[in-house]
Amino acid sequence: MTGSIEHGPGRQPASQDQSRQAQRQWWDAEADAYQAEHGDFLGPDRFIWGPEGLDEATAAVLGPVAGLAGAAVLEVGAGAAQCARWLAAQGAHPVAVDLSAAQLRHATRLNETSGTAVPLVQADACALPFRSRSFDLACSAYGAVPFVTDVTVLHQEVARVLRPGGRWAFSVTHPVRWAFPDVPGPEGLTATHSYFDRTPYVETDETGTITYVEHHRTVGDQVRSLTAAGFCVVDVVEPQWPTTNRQVWAGWSPLRGALLPGTAIYVAELAGPPV
Ligand SMILES: C[S@@+](CC[C@H](N)C(=O)[O-])C[C@H]1O[C@@H](n2cnc3c(N)ncnc32)[C@H](O)[C@@H]1O
């Protein structure tokens, strides 16, 4: 079941077109600030799944690191393509896709300065400009998935470009957090909103035009969307906040991280080829 129980401040419906338009404009406007604030933490060529700092080099969510050599990997909502660059360093053949030209300009900058260049493509994750069955793996660290209205369309598009047996792993804000104010301090520890309210979080300008949108799916919603697209969910990774991580990243903080999950990484696979 989807649908809202009420429209509170900051929550209102947003169509696919409104979401796409808002994302492109928001990330084009905010890319410089985002990379200036988080670029050091993300590094030019690390694969970090979220603010907790879970690193693919040790987490192996995509499978054993040694198995990445030669794999064709799609990074969706890649931003500056840090994850794709790490994958390339493991011998994989990544392609980094993002909707925002400004984010991709940062990817080009890091391609030029890091010593590892990866192919970059500007495209909507819901309309991928690739042939069917052209990738072995697909991944996304907080890219695209929370920002589209109909996530089943996105999952179907990823399923289309993956080969049989392909793995799709993506991180999003942990759904439980939608019940709490998105602030790093103590006020972020008291539930004030229904977990079951799927009305998107929306920011608007003075004309009422939507300038930012994020869509909430419960765990069950996400699993049903993946299943509808032909995937089987094989894991949901919930990284713990390490006590050594003292950073505050928007509503993520050591205080909240000690008590609440911050990130969910869904790991799903297509059925393999018949034996
Ligand atoms: C939170 S950033 C994450 C970027 C990068 N993975 C990182 O960890 O820094 C979200 C990214 O998703 C991109 N994005 C949003 N909607 C998208 C869509 N429909 N298709 C492709 N990319 C999208 C944005 O442009 C932005 O670069």
Side-chain angles (χ1 to χ4, degrees):
M1 187 198 84
T2 58
S4 64
I5 52 172
E6 64 177 13
H7 298 160
R11 308 259 183 151
Q12 69 177 67
S15 71
Q16 191 87 324
D17 283 349
Q18 286 172 314
S19 295
R20 188 187 306 107
Q21 179 74 4
Q23 284 309 315
R24 185 178 284 132
Q25 288 183 356
W26 197 89
W27 284 102
D28 278 352
E30 296 298 322
D32 289 355
Y34 178 84
Q35 298 299 337
E37 187 174 353
H38 303 301
D40 284 350
F41 183 70
L42 296 172
D45 50 11
R46 294 177 71 200
F47 191 141
I48 302 296
W49 283 103
E52 296 81 8
L54 187 72
D55 194 323
E56 179 62 11
T58 49
V61 172
L62 296 175
V65 173
L68 294 172
V73 190
L74 174 67
E75 186 186 2
V76 178
Q82 291 94 340
C83 303
R85 234 167 264 111
W86 179 83
L87 288 161
Q90 313 315 311
H93 304 297
V95 177
V97 168
D98 201 280
L99 193 58
S100 159
Q103 285 280 71
L104 290 173
R105 275 198 291 279
H106 282 280
T108 302
R109 172 179 59 80
L110 292 181
N111 269 355
E112 289 165 359
T113 56
S114 69
T116 306
V118 293
L120 309 172
V121 176
Q122 185 177 14
D124 182 353
C126 294
L128 293 166
F130 305 110
R131 283 201 306 272
S132 299
R133 301 186 170 203
S134 39
F135 294 96
D136 301 300
L137 293 164
C139 60
S140 182
Y142 277 84
V145 177
F147 303 120
V148 302
T149 302
D150 188 345
V151 78
T152 304
V153 171
L154 191 160
H155 292 323
Q156 285 169 335
E157 193 57 350
V158 172
R160 181 184 66 76
V161 301
L162 278 176
R163 299 188 178 113
R167 178 170 281 205
W168 168 217
F170 58 92
S171 58
V172 294
T173 299
H174 197 291
V176 161
R177 291 169 60 97
W178 281 75
F180 297 84
D182 190 28
V183 291
E187 52 293 24
L189 298 175
T190 303
T192 54
H193 204 89
S194 171
Y195 167 80
F196 300 101
D197 181 3
R198 277 80 160 185
T199 315
Y201 170 80
V202 159
E203 293 174 12
T204 54
D205 65 16
E206 54 292 347
T207 69
T209 303
I210 294 175
T211 55
Y212 183 84
V213 59
E214 236 178 285
H215 295 268
H216 167 48
R217 282 108 201 174
T218 67
V219 175
D221 293 342
Q222 197 72 262
V223 170
R224 277 187 293 278
S225 292
L226 285 162
T227 306
F231 286 103
C232 206
V233 176
V234 296
D235 200 358
V236 181
V237 181
E238 298 166 291
Q240 271 193 258
W241 191 279
T243 51
T244 49
N245 183 354
R246 305 309 301 163
Q247 75 159 336
V248 171
W249 178 321
W252 288 260
S253 63
L255 174 76
R256 296 182 80 204
L259 298 169
L260 288 170
T263 296
I265 309 170
Y266 292 86
V267 188
E269 287 178 354
L270 294 175
V275 286

